């Protein structure tokens, strides 16, 4: 009998548990599984709230289909019929400048353009900024294998303005961190590959655009998908695979100690449990108090993968109370605009079924700075400030008819320059520690598919030695 305790029942811990159960059957090795979570429900950040016909996402509102793990999991759980695509009638998202929303220049993806003309005509850049970006193909290739920050990379190739007006809000929105704190090799490796292979991001992106134009279209899924009833559909279906006696909710693990006979003692709610194997399916920042004290290197490696706080604010309005046509998926806000809100999704435009009748649902995303304000001034004050921010941008004429806050402590790991070698060492360190495995979103990627893949990979490793 193999006794496995998983700490964290987010999608990573759930995926690990599901794969462990499958492997236990395949290999005919009995398993005693305990999945512990600090919170009252499984699924971690995947929570959807239905209120007055509004379907509000507290955490992630979709996942990317290019990385297969979440899509494959959905299919395996029979959720294919529940999947919904992003609104095919909408083609754009916006960036805020002042109080106006400007479309992201066509063909601009994350931090580089595939077409020069839309970049040359956007009001988001000055003539000098445009000239600097147009010189990108002539910028010398950096072949130094040493990692660099996303900020340095974009400044070097496309100039400061492209970084501040476009790349910072787009990349920053995904990682909830500033580009100068993010690793190129870990966060946007394909752009580094483009520089090395093509000598220019513009040339590489243009070649990629031509290739995709020549491909027969008709992909089955859009790049991002969700579920008719929201992302909790996935979390609930995954949790339904775990026997009730294995799932321990409201059970924050307070201590984790190796025992003298090669097992682990897991303490939750003052009660100690013994396990042969422990999987930490939580952010490295949250592993720190549990295993950071094992030795100095653990402490150093775990503190090298920080995580910021974040919050979301769902706002349901009557359509007539908004002056903007909401003709896109939403907008992101450059840091230089100094707003509380980092991004705003036009949720009921992005996915169908999110708002009842003639109403609309917006969802604001807030970073660590705003969370600090919530803590000191309270949600109501911060909401009023956000509504003030949104009023000139979206032409708000009234108060929301529904609103809902959610906040997350250290839930979004981000990858600093040098992350890849740190992550490799972290995994090595875990493999040198008997019965200890790592999962979650702090190792290889920060999205839902990455977290699922990390959980599955931990399960495979546990059984590979059996
Ligand atoms: C606001 C927000 C929006 C996001 N948007 C997207 C998006 O649109 N698309 C996308 O792909 N990704 C998005 N992400 C990222 C994505 O949600 C996460 O990467 C993914 O869900 C992480 O899953 P996880 O299981 O690793 O961690 P989590 O979901 O954080 O789950 C970890 C679980 O561990 C529990 N836990 C923590 N410490 C302990 C302890 N000591 N003892 C017991 N239990 C513990 C927590 O209660 C939690 O339930 C978003 C994240 C946030 C916060």
């Amino acid at each position: 009998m193999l006794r496995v305790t998983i700490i964290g029942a987010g999608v990573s811990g759930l995926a690990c548990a599901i794969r462990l159960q499958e492997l236990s059957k395949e290999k005919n090795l009995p398993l005693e599984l305990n999945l512990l979570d600090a919170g009252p429900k499984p699924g971690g950040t995947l929570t959807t709230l239905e209120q007055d016909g509004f379907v509000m996402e507290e955490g992630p509102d979709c996942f990317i289909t290019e990385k297969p793990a979440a899509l494959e999991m959905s299919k395996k759980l029979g959720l294919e019929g529940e999947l919904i695509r992003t609104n095919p009638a909408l083609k754009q998202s916006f960036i805020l400048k002042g109080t106006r929303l400007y479309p992201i220049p066509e063909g601009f993806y994350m931090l580089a353009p595939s077409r020069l003309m839309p970049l040359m005509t956007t009001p988001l850049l000055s003539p000098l900024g445009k000239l600097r970006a147009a010189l990108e193909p002539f910028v010398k290739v950096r072949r130094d294998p040493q990692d660099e920050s996303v900020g340095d990379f974009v400044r070097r190739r496309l100039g400061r303005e492209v970084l501040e007006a476009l790349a910072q809000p787009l990349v920053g929105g995904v990682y909830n961190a500033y580009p100068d704190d993010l690793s190129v090799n870990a966060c946007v490796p394909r752009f580094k590959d483009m520089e090395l292979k093509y000598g220019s991001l513009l040339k590489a992106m243009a070649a990629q655009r031509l290739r995709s134009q020549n491909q027969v279209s008709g992909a089955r899924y859009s790049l991002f998908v969700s579920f008719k009833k929201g992302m909790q559909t996935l979390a609930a279906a995954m949790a339904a695979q775990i026997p009730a006696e294995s799932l321990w909710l409201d059970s924050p693990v307070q201590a984790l100690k190796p025992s003298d006979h090669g097992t682990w003692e897991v303490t939750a709610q003052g009660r100690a449990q013994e396990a042969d194997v422990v999987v930490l399916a939580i952010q490295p920042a949250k592993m720190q108090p549990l295993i950071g004290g094992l030795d100095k290197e653990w402490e150093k490696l775990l503190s090298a993968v920080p995580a910021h706080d974040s919050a979301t604010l769902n706002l349901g309005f009557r359509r007539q109370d908004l002056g903007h046509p909401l003709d896109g998926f939403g907008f992101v806000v450059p840091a230089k605009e100094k707003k509380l809100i980092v991004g705003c999704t036009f949720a009921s435009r992005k996915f169908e079924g999110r708002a009842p009748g003639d109403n609309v649902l917006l969802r604001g995303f807030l970073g660590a700075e705003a969370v600090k304000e919530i803590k000191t001034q309270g949600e109501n004050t911060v909401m009023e400030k956000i509504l003030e921010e949104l009023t000139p941008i979206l032409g708000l004429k009234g108060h929301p008819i529904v609103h809902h806050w959610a906040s997350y402590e250290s839930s979004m790991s981000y990858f600093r320059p040098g992350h890849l070698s740190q992550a490799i060492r972290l995994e090595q360190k875990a493999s040198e520690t008997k019965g200890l495995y790592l999962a979650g979103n702090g190792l290889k990627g920060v999205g839902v598919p990455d977290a699922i893949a990390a959980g599955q990979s931990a399960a495979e490793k546990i059984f590979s030695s059996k």
Side-chain angles (χ1 to χ4, degrees):
M1 170 79 75
L2 182 69
R3 298 167 303 168
V4 181
T5 293
I6 303 172
I7 302 174
V11 285
S12 197
L14 288 168
C16 181
I18 292 171
R19 190 70 193 123
L20 281 173
Q21 293 182 134
E22 290 166 356
L23 289 166
S24 144
K25 275 198 198 122
E26 276 169 32
K27 303 218 171 184
N28 209 9
L29 180 68
L31 176 74
E32 184 191 300
L33 178 70
N34 285 300
L35 176 54
L36 276 65
D37 199 281
K41 56 142 209 67
T45 50
L46 272 75
T47 308
T48 312
L49 179 80
E50 242 187 288
Q51 190 185 322
D52 303 332
F54 288 93
V55 177
M56 301 186 269
E57 297 289 10
E58 292 191 351
D61 70 341
C62 60
F63 65 83
I64 196 161
T65 54
E66 263 179 353
K67 295 182 175 182
L71 187 60
E72 293 303 321
M73 178 63 74
S74 309
K75 289 182 187 168
K76 186 159 90 176
L77 299 176
L79 300 175
E80 235 178 319
E82 295 299 308
L83 285 166
I84 50 171
R85 54 177 303 148
T86 46
N87 183 346
L90 298 179
K91 298 266 179 275
Q92 60 186 359
S93 294
F94 301 95
I95 295 195
L96 181 73
K97 185 179 179 192
T99 54
R100 274 194 65 184
L101 297 181
Y102 296 93
I104 296 171
E106 209 185 316
F108 195 95
Y109 180 69
M110 290 290 269
L111 49 82
S114 64
R115 295 177 57 200
L116 202 50
M117 198 41 80
L119 200 67
M120 293 302 109
T121 51
T122 179
L124 292 165
L125 300 175
S126 75
L128 260 181
K130 288 173 185 172
L131 180 66
R132 173 63 183 83
L135 293 174
E136 193 273 338
F138 306 102
V139 173
K140 205 171 139 225
V141 173
R142 179 181 184 270
R143 299 208 177 269
D144 185 347
Q146 184 90 14
D147 199 2
E148 70 182 317
S149 76
V150 174
D152 284 343
F153 179 77
V154 180
R155 257 189 300 267
R156 185 167 62 70
R157 295 234 50 99
L158 290 146
R160 184 183 53 81
E161 273 199 38
V162 169
L163 174 67
E164 290 179 0
L166 295 159
Q168 180 273 321
L170 289 169
V171 181
V174 174
Y175 286 90
N176 191 21
Y178 291 109
D180 285 334
D181 288 334
L182 294 172
S183 147
V184 163
N185 291 347
C187 301
V188 284
R190 59 191 272 200
F191 290 95
K192 183 64 204 173
D193 291 345
M194 286 179 188
E195 177 183 36
L196 292 175
K197 194 165 163 211
Y198 288 83
S200 152
L201 303 183
L202 262 161
K203 282 188 201 160
M205 292 283 285
Q208 204 173 61
R209 183 167 57 87
L210 281 180
R211 266 201 311 276
S212 56
Q213 273 171 359
N214 292 337
Q215 272 166 8
V216 186
S217 66
R220 177 110 190 257
Y221 300 100
S222 51
L223 183 58
F224 294 97
V225 294
S226 184
F227 299 89
K228 288 176 190 159
K229 295 270 176 199
M231 291 292 284
Q232 195 165 324
T233 303
L234 179 59
M238 290 174 79
Q241 303 297 305
I242 315 298
E245 65 274 15
S246 293
L247 188 58
W248 301 81
L249 299 173
D250 294 313
S251 302
V253 172
Q254 291 131 351
L256 184 58
K257 267 200 320 218
S259 75
D260 296 338
H261 44 284
T263 60
W264 289 88
E265 194 183 280
V266 186
T267 308
Q269 293 179 313
R271 204 172 66 94
Q273 225 178 38
E274 201 182 29
D276 303 309
V277 167
V278 170
V279 182
L280 287 151
I282 52 182
Q283 291 73 12
K286 291 179 184 165
M287 295 175 191
Q288 182 75 259
L290 299 178
I291 54 167
L294 287 179
D295 67 36
K296 284 236 151 33
E297 195 187 8
W298 268 118
E299 184 177 2
K300 189 169 154 237
L301 287 167
L302 294 171
S303 54
V305 193
H308 279 156
D309 296 346
S310 56
T312 57
L313 174 61
N314 276 277
L315 296 164
F317 287 94
R318 295 182 310 164
R319 183 69 190 91
Q320 72 251 37
D321 287 340
L322 263 87
H324 194 278
L326 303 183
D327 48 351
F329 293 120
F331 65 92
V332 289
V333 183
K336 63 181 179 165
E337 296 294 332
K338 302 210 179 313
K339 298 273 187 268
L340 278 167
I341 207 155
V342 170
C344 177
T345 306
F346 303 156
S348 56
R349 300 284 289 144
K350 186 172 175 183
F351 291 110
E352 66 187 30
R354 296 299 186 246
D358 200 18
N359 296 299
V360 293
L361 182 67
L362 308 178
R363 193 186 76 151
F365 178 79
L366 293 97
E369 318 272 303
V371 174
K372 269 190 216 146
E373 282 213 36
I374 298 172
K375 283 182 186 155
T376 53
Q377 300 177 20
E379 289 177 349
N380 287 345
T381 310
V382 175
M383 185 171 98
E384 287 309 319
K385 287 188 182 177
I386 288 169
L387 292 174
E388 254 172 56
E389 282 181 357
L390 291 177
T391 295
I393 303 168
L394 298 177
L396 299 189
K397 292 177 210 120
H399 249 66
I401 49 174
V402 166
H403 77 268
H404 178 70
W405 278 105
S407 30
Y408 296 97
E409 211 178 303
S410 304
S411 278
M412 294 185 83
S413 302
Y414 63 94
F415 302 155
R416 283 181 173 156
H419 174 82
L420 288 185
S421 47
Q422 301 270 4
I424 291 169
R425 182 60 202 133
L426 248 179
E427 291 200 292
Q428 261 171 4
K429 180 89 181 151
S431 68
E432 290 160 12
T433 312
K434 187 172 180 277
L436 190 70
Y437 295 82
L438 308 181
N441 67 2
L443 303 169
K444 297 209 172 107
V446 298
V448 170
D450 303 301
I452 290 177
Q456 290 168 329
S457 155
E460 299 287 344
K461 280 187 202 153
I462 293 168
F463 269 85
S464 70
S465 56
K466 304 291 165 211

